[in-house]
Amino acid sequence: MQFDFSLISDAAATLGRAYGWTIFITVGALVIGIILGTLIAVCKVIPKTNIVAKILDKIVTVYVAIFRGTPLTVQLFIFYFIIFAKITFFNTNLHPYFIAVIGFGLNSAAYVSETIRAGILSVDKGQMEAGRALGLSYGKTMRSVIIPQAAKSIIPPLGNEAITLVKDTSVALVIGVSEFFTAIRSIVAASYNVLTPYIFAAIVYFVTVLIMTMLLNALEKRLRRSDNR
């Protein structure tokens, strides 16, 4: 069956809006994942010298185990149908797209935290000792000395996480989010043509990932140049 290209013209606005939501979910989830993942990683690596540090370590350990040990689809179902089902803002239910951002973000944080923790542990222990010897607090040394050095080994895996998030956004369909791949599927259903829409989707995802990879490589080169100064 020959594909009617007028369908793509009619669906251009829908595809553009759906692609925008895909990028929105990806960026929002990555921001949540990096911020929360950093906090979790710090809780994992700080010395367990008091009861608070020990409790935080136990909490984040359970958190990481739960989010890494259960399917993302199940997590989205729980967020949408249980946790946020009765929560309202200004007398309206939280929009499914924002629930998707939260769900993907919390899931991403569990993986990002392990990446950041490994990056922090890769920095020589003498760096922390040197910072403390100069009179810096543990937190100041971590922010100003350890994390900047760890960033060089953290950024490549974070780039991979961002790329994975772009492709995993299609899972948000289960809570009614009409992201890019869902829009493509609707075109397939309306046109009874499989080949052209899916090839178009593959090209869009490929170009998106290619651009993200180029930006990541540029960032890595910039960090390497700063090391040589």
Side-chain angles (χ1 to χ4, degrees):
M1 180 181 295
Q2 188 175 5
F3 182 70
D4 184 2
F5 284 95
S6 65
L7 289 174
I8 289 184
S9 177
D10 295 338
T14 301
L15 285 174
R17 186 165 53 249
Y19 182 77
W21 280 118
T22 293
I23 300 302
F24 172 79
I25 293 171
T26 300
V27 173
L30 191 62
V31 170
I32 294 174
I34 291 174
I35 294 174
L36 184 57
T38 301
L39 294 175
I40 292 173
V42 170
C43 289
K44 294 287 290 182
V45 300
I46 57 175
K48 310 304 183 292
T49 56
N50 56 65
I51 187 64
V52 175
K54 293 178 181 179
I55 292 175
L56 286 175
D57 179 65
K58 296 296 182 183
I59 292 174
V60 298
T61 299
V62 172
Y63 174 94
V64 171
I66 291 175
F67 277 91
R68 295 184 69 181
T70 56
L72 177 58
T73 303
V74 174
Q75 295 168 19
L76 290 176
F77 270 124
I78 292 174
F79 284 127
Y80 185 72
F81 292 106
I82 300 176
I83 296 177
F84 291 107
K86 302 299 182 181
I87 298 178
T88 60
F89 294 89
F90 302 104
N91 296 321
T92 59
N93 291 329
L94 190 62
H95 201 286
Y97 293 93
F98 292 98
I99 295 177
V101 170
I102 294 171
F104 278 99
L106 294 179
N107 177 273
S108 178
Y111 293 91
V112 170
S113 66
E114 291 299 294
T115 297
I116 295 176
R117 183 179 69 87
I120 292 174
L121 293 178
S122 69
V123 178
D124 189 89
K125 293 182 179 180
Q127 298 294 319
M128 174 61 74
E129 295 172 358
R132 298 306 299 275
L134 292 173
L136 300 177
S137 65
Y138 182 90
K140 180 66 174 179
T141 305
M142 184 66 72
R143 292 193 304 271
S144 303
V145 180
I146 305 300
I147 291 181
Q149 293 185 61
K152 293 188 288 293
S153 61
I154 291 172
I155 287 177
L158 285 183
N160 293 333
E161 176 66 16
I163 290 171
T164 300
L165 278 172
V166 170
K167 294 180 287 187
D168 283 352
T169 52
S170 59
V171 177
L173 169 66
V174 300
I175 59 172
V177 171
S178 181
E179 45 69 56
F180 181 72
F181 192 69
T182 304
I184 289 292
R185 292 179 63 180
S186 68
I187 291 177
V188 171
S191 64
Y192 299 101
N193 181 281
V194 175
L195 183 62
T196 306
Y198 284 149
I199 289 178
F200 176 72
I203 292 173
V204 171
Y205 279 116
F206 175 76
V207 171
T208 301
V209 170
L210 183 62
I211 293 173
M212 294 174 67
T213 301
M214 292 172 63
L215 293 174
L216 180 63
N217 290 338
L219 180 58
E220 289 185 60
K221 289 180 180 179
R222 185 171 181 177
L223 288 174
R224 285 198 295 269
R225 284 199 301 268
S226 65
D227 286 343
N228 295 328
R229 291 176 182 176

